[in-house]
Amino acid sequence: QSRFDRAPTSDVVLNEVIRESLVITGGKTKRHVLLKELSDLPMLTCYRSHIGQVLTNLFANAADALDECVTLERGQGKLFKGKISVRSYPEEREGVPGVAVSVSDNGKGVDEGLREQIFEAFFTTKPSGVGTGLGLSVCATIVQDHNGIIYVENDDELGGARFVVWLPLKPTHEDDL
């Protein structure tokens, strides 16, 4: 993912990008249980390294959120075991074939009132001096540049946040990417 994409790459296997991003964030995620459910996906056209940047940020943020829970629970004499779930699946939106990745955790989640704000530049829920507030803003820009969608909701299974990224298989216009 250290390569610089000058043009979109066709025939990208999203699950490979997910696996690479998990390796990159392995130092953070290894403290938690990692649940992977990667479906067979069609290939897509995208700026591969940019999508890797989005996924790396989402995995690192999930681990950071869980680390906060571990610290809180430890302070209360409780044991907390963090869980991160990564799923990929084909998904059509408004007749457009695409693929989706969801990254969920069993942390505190994101309050409904903050769900739009967290994608704004310089907004952070992390303690002062820890986060820049740029990670999710950059993710949102990259996903939008790919004509995709990124959003956050509560995860019904794990109880924390679920970030979902949807990308079309091909750009809608030649100039879009």
Side-chain angles (χ1 to χ4, degrees), residues 90-99 147-149 151 166-170 172:
E91 181 176 84
E92 190 173 294
R93 285 186 172 258
E94 298 179 9
V96 177
V99 292
N147 296 313
I149 299 167
Y151 61 93
W166 177 84
L167 299 167
L169 295 183
K170 299 213 179 294
T172 34

Side-chain angles (χ1 to χ4, degrees), residues 58-166:
L58 293 179
F59 299 152
N61 280 359
D64 289 345
L66 295 176
D67 288 345
E68 282 182 35
C69 291
V70 168
T71 302
L72 287 173
E73 296 292 319
R74 207 175 273 150
Q76 298 173 4
K78 298 177 184 175
L79 180 63
F80 175 83
K81 189 61 181 167
K83 294 179 185 173
I84 299 172
S85 171
V86 181
R87 291 184 55 233
S88 68
Y89 47 95
E91 181 176 84
E92 190 173 294
R93 285 186 172 258
E94 298 179 9
V96 177
V99 292
V101 177
S102 70
V103 180
S104 305
D105 64 59
N106 65 332
K108 298 182 296 182
V110 178
D111 291 333
E112 196 168 338
L114 300 178
R115 290 185 189 164
E116 291 301 317
Q117 277 185 290
I118 62 171
F119 294 107
E120 293 174 8
F122 304 111
F123 181 83
T124 182
T125 59
K126 293 179 181 178
S128 180
V130 176
T132 62
L134 292 174
L136 288 174
S137 172
V138 169
C139 288
T141 299
I142 290 170
V143 171
Q144 289 166 0
D145 287 348
H146 282 79
N147 296 313
I149 299 167
I150 185 171
Y151 61 93
V152 62
E153 60 190 6
N154 287 333
D155 186 281
D156 294 335
E157 289 179 40
L158 295 180
R162 176 190 304 137
F163 284 82
V164 178
V165 174
W166 177 84

Side-chain angles (χ1 to χ4, degrees), residues 6-68:
R6 294 190 187 280
T9 305
S10 59
D11 300 332
V12 172
V13 178
L14 186 59
N15 287 337
E16 286 179 7
V17 181
I18 291 170
R19 287 184 195 98
E20 290 169 8
S21 298
L22 286 169
V23 168
I24 290 168
T25 56
K28 286 182 171 237
T29 60
K30 70 180 177 185
R31 296 185 290 271
H32 310 290
V33 174
L34 182 62
L35 310 166
K36 286 190 297 188
E37 187 181 326
L38 306 180
S39 300
D40 287 334
L41 300 175
M43 291 187 251
L44 71 148
T45 299
C46 66
Y47 284 96
R48 191 181 194 285
S49 64
H50 295 184
I51 299 305
Q53 182 181 355
V54 169
L55 296 172
T56 297
N57 190 74
L58 293 179
F59 299 152
N61 280 359
D64 289 345
L66 295 176
D67 288 345
E68 282 182 35

